[in-house]
Every structure is written in C-alpha cells, then in structure tokens.
DNA sequence: GTGGTCTAGACCACG
DNA sequence: GTGGTCTAGACCACC
C-alpha cells in the first residue's frame, strides 16, 4: 500500500516522499526516467492530477527535470540530494516521536525500547501502529 | 509552541495529543479538571471551537468526561489509558521513520545512529528537523 | 435516577415532567404542597437554580401556585390538567417512535412487537435502550 | 419537515437519525453515495457544517465511509447495521413513553390504547402531539 | 464538483 | 463562569 488516503499528509506529499526514497535507494539513477504520471496514477490508484502535483514538487526541489515529450528524468545530483532528504525525513519522524514521548514523560530507556521493538516489527511491513492510538497520522478509519 | 498551524495534522488532533500526553505524564490526574475550553483557546491562540472539537474527541476516547457547567474531568482510568495511547503515538512516529528509511535503503545501523542523534538533540527542544527535508510533517512554509 | 444530565432534554424540563407525572399520579393532590426547591435540588443532585426554573415553568402552566413563605401548592385543577399533559407526553414519545419506524420502513407489526417488548421490559426500570442506538435522546456517554 | 430546529435533540443528531432511517429503509444501498454535504444542507436549510458533523458521526458509527473528492458511501454492512440502530431508536422512544406513563400511573391498557391511536394517526404524518403537552421533545415555541 | 478544517461570533443550559 | 450547538464564510486537498 504505497499511499494511504486516510493519512493526514496529502497524497501528493506521500508520492513526493515515495519517489524521493526511490531516488535515495538508487531505484532510479541520474539521467534515467521516473515512471510516467499516468503509470504512477494507475499503480497508486490515484488521480493523475495528484501525481502531476507531486512531480511538480519534485521538479521544484531540483530532484528531477522534465523533457517535454520524453519524460521526467533524475537530475545529475538527484540521488545524492535525495539521500540527504531521506535522512532528514527519517530524523523528522524520530524527532516527533521523541518529543511526544518527552511530553508524556516517557523515560529515555523506554523510548529506546519502543524504538527497538519498532525496528524489529517493521521488518515485516505490516501496519505498525496499535489500534486506538493517539495516532495523529491518520483520520480514524472505519472498515468499508 | 504547543500547536503548529502549518502542520499537516489538524490542530484539534494536535491538541488531543497534547492533552493525552499531559494525562500520561500526570499533569492532570483522575477526578481533576483539564483546562477550560476558553482558557486553552487563549493559551494556544486558537478558536474555542477547535479546542471544543479536541475535547469532544478526548471524551469519545474515554479519557475524560464532562459535567455541564462544571468542566471536563479526567476519567478514573484516564492516566493509564493515556499512557498506552502515548506509547502507541511514539511507536507510530518511529514506525513511519523506519519505513521511510527502509524505502530509501538506509541501513539499520544508520537508522539507529539517526535515532540516537535525535534523542540527544531533542533534549533541547529546538526545531529538530533540517530545512528542506522530505518532511511530510509540515506544510512548506512561505515565510520562515 | 430521576434526572439524566446526559439527556438532550434540559434538566429543568425533566423536572417539570417528573412533577407533572406525580401530579397526574396523585402523589401530590390539589391544595397540598410539592417539595421545596432546596429539598428537590438535594434529592436530584442538581443546582437549586435549575429546580427553580422548573417550578417557574410549572406555575406558568397553571399546575401549581406559590404562596410566599408557605410553599408551592398544587392548583385546584392541577391533577386533572396534569393527567392530560401526561397522556400527551406519552403520545408524543410514541408518535416520535412510530415516525422513526416509518422512516426506516419498519412494518407496523414489528412496531407493535417492539412496543410490547418495551412494555414488558420497562416493568423493571432498568435502562431500556440498547447500546449504540440511533438514540437521539442522550449524548453518547463514556464511563467516568 | 425533515429537521426541526426547535427540537431539543441537536439538528446534527436529527440528521444522523434521518440518514440512519434511510439506510435501514434501503433508500441508499451499500456502495452507493449518500447526498453530498452541500446538497443536504440546501435541502434541510441548514449550515453545511451541521451536516458535516452528522456525517462524521455516521462514519464514526461505521455506517458510511468517505472517499476524498468522491463522496460518502454506504458501508458494506451499512443497511443491516442501520436496521438494528433504527429498531433501537424506536424502542428508546417507546421506552421513554412507557416510563413517563408509569410515573403518571397510567394503566397499561390505556398505554396500549394511546399507542394504537398513535399508530393510526401517524399514518397521515401530521403533527401528532397535542398542544401544550408535557412535551419534553420540543422547545416551547413562541410563535406557532 | 467532493469532503475536511478553521475562524468568528452568536445563543442556550447549567452552576 | 462552564460546556454544547449553530451559522457564516473562508481555505485546502482531491477528482
């Protein structure tokens, strides 16, 4: 499940992060094309306009550039820049978690325990958050 | 800086988490009142309706109960329940970070390094995230 | 539990109905006094102002009259009038129920079945409404 | 007259019940959309925010789910669940009526007579309640 | 067009 | 003073 429509962060931002991660991981290398808007829209079951907006954002950040009629290409320094952004993205999540923990007076040792458990659990990419959490990541969802 | 209007997560959810953390930390104890809607609205520079919605959500989660004309009180098991929710909230943040890291192919050792640095840095509650990150937590701010 | 603070109908209205029912039942007869404001406030665990407002309403409806320093007395035709009002109150509830049922396309036979079950169940004055109903009588309540 | 602003039960709750009844009656079937917020607001001459709150409650109860940009859809088991809730709503009304009757010492036979008359009268959906009743359903209206 | 959130300001019931 | 509801009108993300 690459994008989550119930997540508070906009879908176009999730796509930006997704591509950013792929660039950092070397899935797409400088000079290569990233998937077309239509292709990604189909894959993510999302409106092409939304992918379009994500790609605009990636171009604005200098990670990719557009050649009309040819496709969208990874910039020369795209991989490297993406690695930095990915690191920062990870750090931002961790920071938020630590701040929430501090506010709730969770001792650092317990914080680290939670972290370790998370790393272990996340190796199987199942939904990691417990039910009924003060999640603040997603709208509370009901089963269709 | 208790709430951030530029964050993607709605203000009312931020307030929910904030109070939830306070309950977990024992700032407000079972049987005591939490701050009045108007008071918190003034403190957070936010519309009373927004606080009201947050409090309504807290009541729905069973953390507090309200007595007309008197105020909103912490439930008997409010502190305990809040601790569980706070743990889950922290775990959710960590899980997201780890997932982003895995997608970007960041090795676990580096993930842990980032985590440790985060914990160290977050002791002074300065803005922890680097500028320009693939930070899906906040809207891009126009005027920093 | 004579009054329910979580009921949508205001407490003062519940008190009005309660006294009205007592008059209809002959608990208090014409020329006798009804309980003092302070006494009823203590019994119902309610602010005296609220009882005061209920008694004002009863007086406005002509069911009782006030003799300063002596108390509040049932009017000459109080019992009879109250009986009419009680009938109407019952009919109003039934009407609402039938209307809701009609909107939900519940056949009359089933409506009557529900009614009979209700009458049977209500002989033991336990809380009659199932959990999670489209109740519309009370705010959804959480346990303190 | 789908919603009554003079009723003690909040407008948003009346809308919840109205939609709930429609679901139970099969007016909207699983997978179909319910009316848009703005459309219903126009139809009921009510603020869109009020409809929004009602729909939010319906989603929380699992009767519907929402897809951004598309609308709000009836859940798979929405009709069935709604039927249960509608039954409960009817029973709640009847229970209240019977309780009021018992308090006023109205004999069961008379209760049933009132019920039958109500069912008969409610076939023409005219205003069923007599004027001036101990009617805790509606605010006393100033200008009839 | 759809739903989701926020602000501003009003009225009510309760203490 | 407290919380609860409603209206008016605004901005955003998504289709």
């Amino acid at each position: 499940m690459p994008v989550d429509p119930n997540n508070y962060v906009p879908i176009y931002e999730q796509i930006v992060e997704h591509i950013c991660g792929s660039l950092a991981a070397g899935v797409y290398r400088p000079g290569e094309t990233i998937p077309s808007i239509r292709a990604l829209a189909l894959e993510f079951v999302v409106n092409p306009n939304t992918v379009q907006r994500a790609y605009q954002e990636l171009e604005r950040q200098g990670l990719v550039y557009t050649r009309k009629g040819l496709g969208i290409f990874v910039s020369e320094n795209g991989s490297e820049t993406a690695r930095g952004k990915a690191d920062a993205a990870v750090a931002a999540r961790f920071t938020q978690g630590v701040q929430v923990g501090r506010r709730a007076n969770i001792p650092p040792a317990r914080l680290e325990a939670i972290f370790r458990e998370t790393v272990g659990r996340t190796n199987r990419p199942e939904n990691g958050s417990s039910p009924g959490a003060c999640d603040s990541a997603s709208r509370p969802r009901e089963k269709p």
Side-chain angles (χ1 to χ4, degrees), chain A residues 2-3 25 45-46 56 61 121 126 128:
Chain A
V3 301
V45 195
V46 140
Q56 278 180 358
Q61 295 183 7
R121 183 162 28 76
E126 118 192 70

Side-chain angles (χ1 to χ4, degrees), chain A residues 2 5 20 26 32 37 42 44-48 53 58 88 99 122 132 136 140:
Chain A
C20 187
E32 295 178 10
I37 288 179
L42 288 175
F44 287 174
V45 195
V46 140
N47 192 292
R53 180 160 177 191
L58 285 167
Q99 283 174 345
T122 316
S136 99

Side-chain angles (χ1 to χ4, degrees), chain A residues 16-77:
Chain A
V16 166
E17 271 211 339
H18 188 270
I19 299 294
C20 187
S22 293
L23 295 186
V27 176
Y28 314 115
R29 311 194 66 83
E32 295 178 10
T33 63
I34 62 176
S36 77
I37 288 179
R38 277 181 36 208
L40 212 60
L42 288 175
E43 183 185 343
F44 287 174
V45 195
V46 140
N47 192 292
N49 289 336
T50 307
V51 181
Q52 157 84 7
R53 180 160 177 191
Y55 279 13
Q56 278 180 358
E57 178 63 17
L58 285 167
E59 186 161 20
R60 201 189 60 75
Q61 295 183 7
L63 292 171
V64 302
Y65 60 93
T66 303
R67 284 274 187 252
K68 277 190 199 168
L70 290 179
I72 302 176
F73 296 80
V74 181
S75 301
E76 201 53 47
N77 57 351

